[in-house]
Amino acid sequence: MEQQPEQLSFDFYKEKPHIARQSRDELRLTLGKFAGPLDLLLYLIKQEQANIFDIPIARITDEYLKYIRLMKSFDITLAADFLVMAATLIEIKSKMLLPKEITEETEEEMEDPREALVRQLLEHQKFKNASQMLYERSTVEQAVFGRGKIESDENNAETNASVFDLLTVFQKILSRHKEEVQMEIEREEVSLADMIKSLKKQIFEKKELSLLAFFEEMHTRRELVTAFIAVLEIVRTEGVKLMQTATFGDIILKKI
Amino acid sequence: MEIEEKQPRSIAEIISIVEALVFVADEPITVKTLSDVLEEDRETIEAAVEELKQEYEDRTGGLQLREIAGGWQISTRTEYHEEVRKYLKTRPNAKLSLAALETLAVIAYKQPVTVPEILEIRGVQSASAIKTLLDKKLITAKGRKETVGRPMMYGTSKDFLLQFGLKDLSELPSIEDFEDLVQ
Amino acid sequence: MEIEEKQPRSIAEIISIVEALVFVADEPITVKTLSDVLEEDRETIEAAVEELKQEYEDRTGGLQLREIAGGWQISTRTEYHEEVRKYLKTRPNAKLSLAALETLAVIAYKQPVTVPEILEIRGVQSASAIKTLLDKKLITAKGRKETVGRPMMYGTSKDFLLQFGLKDLSELPSIEDFEDLVQ
């Protein structure tokens, strides 16, 4: 997928990709970062000094595939779109190779297999030029500054929200919520060994411990069960006594 | 109690008040707002703004009055950006990536436009570029297209006009103008 | 490589830069700061500031340059305080605090929703945010929930749709729209 980091700046003229031919069949990639397969195609057409309305499809397809192979050999992850374009080119190429049976009736309907691609390239080129215009405008605009804060400005942390902010904020709340649930699950996974350890520590520190208070520290049913087993275990193995002062009263764990 | 009769304002006074209001406004202030606050008709305000603009131009001081994003704003002149930047210690804003700029160009000219339509023109998936543009508030959602799947449509925002120094969308050069440049 | 020799600035240019800097500064800007940024000596800056001040006085526009708290500042003339105040008051305050925005998001996506349910989702008491949203008419009461205590349910209002540029609630971006972008 398209995962380009935001660049701090770029120069439209410098950013042009360049494949240098080192020897007869070795290409060298000096700089190549295309915004998409259409960019690469436009570049290749220019490189071949071909007419955009009469693209030498076989040659351009070969060059295109060469470039893709090159990118692969450089371990550049190729966006799926580059491969889709490769398939399109190969399809056009094979259509062009088909012997043409020109008859009076079909001639008019025969569409050049390159036509859709050419249309797309021209359209794309227009927007590329438009984006350069935007780039230039924003450069000028960045040299202009508004006034500083004045006393009447409220400078509390307020946001001017759009619908998408609403969604983003909502998702943040939901994920915050999920994290909380996550924490509970983590707490559930206290092992029996850990529980015994913590129980022992408490009894040895305080000499005696209210069973009710201990159980109240548990957050989930599973923890409670673990705690209960821990109590049984500690009474069995350690010198700890269970004492109850009144019927249904609190039970005290006491170190003997 | 005395009831004070309001004297009609002189044009010089109106210009001065317009200047004061443009100055205090956080955002470009519209002729309509000015007209509402001053209780003067649109034409009077428009004439006052134009004269004020001329005055700023004739002074060639450090400031300019300009029309942007549908309103009027006072800002520094581009000539002095170096010194202003030095004082504010700001670097030029992080610029948009090529992919984001291209996507923005498509959205600016084809709005309202859906993600599949952008893909069609760019020939490349534009999801992350769209996300960047949304984060930077350069584009906003513009409702859904009444077609299969009701995809979200996108258009440019007011911040887009501000950041690219446009009065309004009609100030964008026509996309056909870029055709001559092909080849 | 060519080394560009800096031309000494004309006094008019210095005055313009001083004006631009005073304008962008958040606080009254001192002669020292101006002198540091421009790399001109104190006397030159002082003369420039004085001339600029005189210029502002002669213009009798909506603004004045004044010395305050040891620095220089551009502000509106006191004569126009009435209009300025009137404008600042009428300014639509479309801004929401983050707490209000969060609460609004919950209400928009979960409506109709009760206060305990909002608390459950946000994990924070939202009473004052709900009050703000009601005051701004972004949400309205939508009857009571037939459950213990019959708590009031809230939903978004028509003003909400207007303010966020939505035709109806189905135009709210869905989680899926967003996921498409994040991928």
Side-chain angles (χ1 to χ4, degrees), chain A residues 1-10 12 15 33-39 45-46 50-53 79 81-82 120 122-135 137-147 150 152-154 160-165 168, chain B residues 23-27 64 66 68 75-78 81 84-85 88 90-99 101-102 104-106 109-110 119-129 132 134 137 141 154 160 162-166 171-173 175-176 178-179 181-183:
Chain A
M1 287 296 103
E2 189 187 28
Q3 276 298 336
Q4 300 172 356
E6 290 305 311
Q7 295 162 248
L8 203 62
S9 68
F10 70 86
F12 261 84
E15 196 67 11
K33 194 171 185 190
F34 302 96
L38 292 171
D39 279 340
I45 290 166
K46 209 170 202 179
N51 179 353
I52 198 163
F53 295 101
D81 309 286
F82 279 93
Q120 212 187 354
L122 289 174
E123 188 75 354
H124 178 72
Q125 177 77 285
K126 269 197 295 193
F127 286 97
K128 241 182 125 49
N129 291 325
S131 58
Q132 171 148 15
M133 175 276 299
L134 288 180
Y135 173 76
R137 286 203 83 109
S138 76
T139 309
V140 172
E141 210 47 40
Q142 277 167 17
V144 170
F145 297 83
R147 68 147 166 76
I150 53 176
S152 56
D153 283 0
E154 307 146 43
N160 217 340
S162 77
V163 202
F164 262 93
D165 294 318
T168 313
Chain B
F23 175 78
V24 295
D26 280 341
E27 292 187 331
Q64 57 181 336
R66 51 181 205 149
I68 189 168
S75 63
T76 61
R77 274 181 202 279
T78 48
H81 76 98
V84 172
R85 217 163 256 159
L88 295 173
T90 58
R91 291 189 309 152
N93 284 354
K95 283 177 181 155
L96 293 169
S97 70
L98 185 57
L101 256 183
E102 269 191 30
L104 186 59
V106 174
Y109 280 98
K110 292 281 185 177
L119 168 65
E120 172 74 32
I121 293 173
R122 289 199 57 221
V124 85
Q125 294 291 342
S126 310
S128 84
T132 304
L134 279 170
K137 297 192 185 301
Y154 298 93
F160 165 78
L162 285 172
Q163 194 154 321
F164 290 88
L166 296 163
E171 240 207 340
L172 275 177
I175 188 71
E176 309 311 328
F178 297 112
E179 239 165 35
L181 302 175
V182 174
Q183 293 208 322

Side-chain angles (χ1 to χ4, degrees), chain A residues 62 79 105 143 193 223:
Chain A
D62 286 351
E105 294 115 90
E223 261 184 39

